[in-house]
Structures are given as C-alpha cells and as structure tokens.
Amino acid sequence: MMRSVGRLDGKVAIVTGAGSGLGRAAALRFAAEGASVACVDLDREGAQETVSAMGERGLVVVADVTAEADTERMVAETVERFGPPTVLYANAGIGGRGAAGEVDLELWQAVLAVNLTGVWLSAKACLPAMMDAGGGSIINQGSITALIGFANSAAYSASKGGVISLTRQMAIDYAPHNVRVNAICPGVIETPLLRRSWAQAQGVPESEVDDLLAEHWHPQIPMGRLGQVDEIAAMAVYLASDESAWTTGSILTVDGGQTSA
Ligand code: NAD
C-alpha cells in the first residue's frame, strides 16, 4: 500500500507544554502528518502519555521553559535524536487570575516567566540550529486576551500581549534567515487549564464546571460554543507546514468569532 504524503514529512518539531491540552493535540497532529516531535513538558507523565500515543516519532523531554539551561538541553536532546528542529511550537503556558490592583507580584512574575520569557527562551535556544538547517517555523502561543480586554487577567493578558509583540519583532529579524514567526491566538478552548482555572475561580469541583462555562461563554462567542483543541492544532499544522511559506509576523485568531463580535 502506498503511504500518503504527510503535510509535515521530514520536519523536526519541538512542542513545549506537550503533556496536556493544546500542546498534546498539536504534537499528535504533527506526528500524524509525518513530523518527528520532541514533546517537552515539566510533567514527565503527561509528556510520556503524549509520546506513547505517537510511537517512534516521539521523544519525551522533561524541561522547564523558564530555565535557559533546560531550553538549551531541550534542543540538544532533539538534535541528538532527530536532527535540527525546523518547527518550534512555543505553547507552554499557565493561567493566573486577578485584576491589576489585586494580583500579587509572585503570581505576576510566575505568569510572565512561563508565558513570555519561556516563549523567548525556547526560540533563543532553537534559532541557531534552525538557521543552520536553512530555516524553519516558530509558532508562538498567544491568546485573544492579548487583543481584547478580559476581566481579572492582568498578568495573563500582559504576558500574551508580550508574545504578540515579540512575534512581530522576531519575524523581522529572522525573515532573512528563512525562519518564519507567527502567533496563534486561541479563543476559549476546552482544556484542563480552562476547567481548572474556572473551577478554582467559582469554588466548584471540576466535574461541575461545564454548565458554568457554557452559561458564561456561549453568548459571547458568535459560533455559540467553546473551541476544541484539534481546531487550534489544525492552525498549528498549517503554520508548521510549507503551505504557510509566505506567512510571517501574523497573528492568527481562532476563536469562533469572539474578537469580531
Ligand atoms: P494545559 O494546562 O492543559 O497545558 C499546559 C502544559 O504546559 C502542561 O502540560 C504543563 O505541565 C506545561 N507547562 C507549564 N509550565 C511549564 C514550564 N515552565 N515548562 C514546561 N512546561 C510547562 O493548558 P492549555 O489550555 O493546553 O494551554 C496551552 C497554551 O495555550 C498556554 O500557553 C495557554 O495560555 C494557551 N491558551 C489556552 C487557551 C484555553 O482556552 N485553554 C486559550 C488561549 C490560549
């Protein structure tokens, strides 16, 4: 039987935060499209579970994206196993609720460290190998909280705003090296992070959070429902593939119309 051609055949991808949610969904799609995928996460078990679902194409890397030595090792382990990375999906992120007047400094710094500094460090570590390989695609994980005001999310929104500015900035510096840099801004997606932060904020167990989520979000989303992880992974595959060869510095919303409402 002839093997069908994958959209990411021959690519070597690094996906941070691949042990859960959006990162796992994208890592699995990347592998299904033919890429070799380094699944990076703080959570070994989560990353292992993702890799188990993809077999030979996957590598577990336990690393903290806020630590430069870890991001350097993440690239070294990827190069050793698969060769130089040609795709980076800098997806690892954490939530953090609170209005600007209430959020404490520790939480602010933790959110900025993972969501913004982690994105930068991941790119910094990948760029030399990516440029040597002749180019690549960096996909940064933004959020629609960077584009419209969301209540009680000062640190998170600021971190994602930074990601968008960094994306545009890096696109300019690295276009001559054939490295494309784009950001995805997902709307409200059903993931463990969303369920956890809502359960926490509302003081209910995670098992009871679905009705509350629907009641709050559906009226704000023209398409009338939350997004699914595969709907973001589909955009990530496009940006990782050569189909997006002339797309750089772009901020792509995937949000059921929420930022257009
Ligand atoms: P999730 O909690 O399900 O997964 C995040 C993963 O990142 C976890 O496996 C976690 O262990 C890992 N991680 C956290 N800190 C890390 C660190 N320092 N180093 C390495 N790994 C680390 O979250 P998710 O909902 O899949 O979110 C993924 C990304 O998408 C985040 O950047 C988030 O801000 C963004 N996002 C999510 C939504 C949503 O509605 N869920 C919307 C917009 C953007």
Side-chain angles (χ1 to χ4, degrees):
M1 203 175 73
M2 230 171 73
R3 190 182 165 285
S4 64
V5 179
R7 292 161 73 196
L8 303 181
D9 271 351
K11 307 274 187 204
V12 174
I14 292 180
V15 180
T16 68
S20 176
L22 294 168
R24 169 175 292 166
L28 292 175
R29 279 292 306 273
F30 285 5
E33 292 291 351
S36 302
V37 189
C39 295
V40 180
D41 209 291
L42 270 181
D43 171 15
R44 177 184 296 277
E45 256 177 55
Q48 185 57 61
E49 219 173 287
T50 306
V51 167
S52 302
M54 64 176 68
E56 285 299 292
R57 288 193 198 288
L59 168 72
V60 173
V61 179
V62 179
D64 179 349
V65 296
T66 69
E68 189 159 19
D70 277 27
T71 53
E72 286 169 353
R73 180 173 48 78
M74 150 186 113
V75 174
E77 289 181 22
T78 305
V79 170
E80 194 184 324
R81 171 76 179 272
F82 298 130
T86 46
V87 174
L88 165 67
Y89 188 9
N91 157 82
I94 58 172
R97 290 181 63 79
E102 293 154 8
V103 66
D104 63 46
L105 181 60
E106 205 181 328
L107 179 67
W108 174 276
Q109 286 172 334
V111 170
L112 269 287
V114 182
N115 294 7
L116 178 56
T117 307
V119 165
W120 163 61
L121 283 176
S122 299
K124 187 181 181 203
C126 280
L127 277 162
M130 207 176 254
M131 290 189 290
D132 276 356
S137 171
I138 295 178
I139 305 158
N140 292 329
Q141 191 68 295
S143 162
I144 61 168
T145 60
L147 306 175
I148 55 175
F150 263 67
N152 291 315
S153 63
Y156 185 81
S157 299
S159 71
K160 296 299 186 180
V163 167
I164 287 176
S165 297
L166 179 65
T167 298
R168 291 204 174 100
Q169 192 287 324
M170 284 177 54
I172 305 308
D173 281 341
Y174 293 98
H177 300 278
N178 197 32
V179 174
R180 300 182 293 106
V181 190
N182 295 287
I184 303 177
C185 286
V188 188
I189 315 297
E190 262 189 275
T191 64
L193 181 143
L194 180 78
R195 298 172 64 83
R196 243 187 346 262
S197 65
W198 263 74
Q200 236 169 27
Q202 307 289 323
V204 299
E206 272 185 54
S207 54
E208 286 172 26
V209 93
D210 288 331
D211 288 349
L212 292 174
L213 283 171
E215 203 178 300
H216 182 86
W217 290 114
H218 290 188
Q220 299 182 47
I221 301 171
M223 297 203 77
R225 64 174 175 84
L226 300 181
Q228 299 300 314
V229 291
D230 283 337
E231 291 169 323
I232 306 303
M235 179 60 85
V237 169
Y238 168 70
L239 290 174
S241 78
D242 297 338
E243 293 160 24
S244 56
W246 207 50
T247 301
T248 196
S250 292
I251 310 303
L252 295 130
T253 53
V254 184
D255 68 351
Q258 190 168 357
T259 48
S260 298

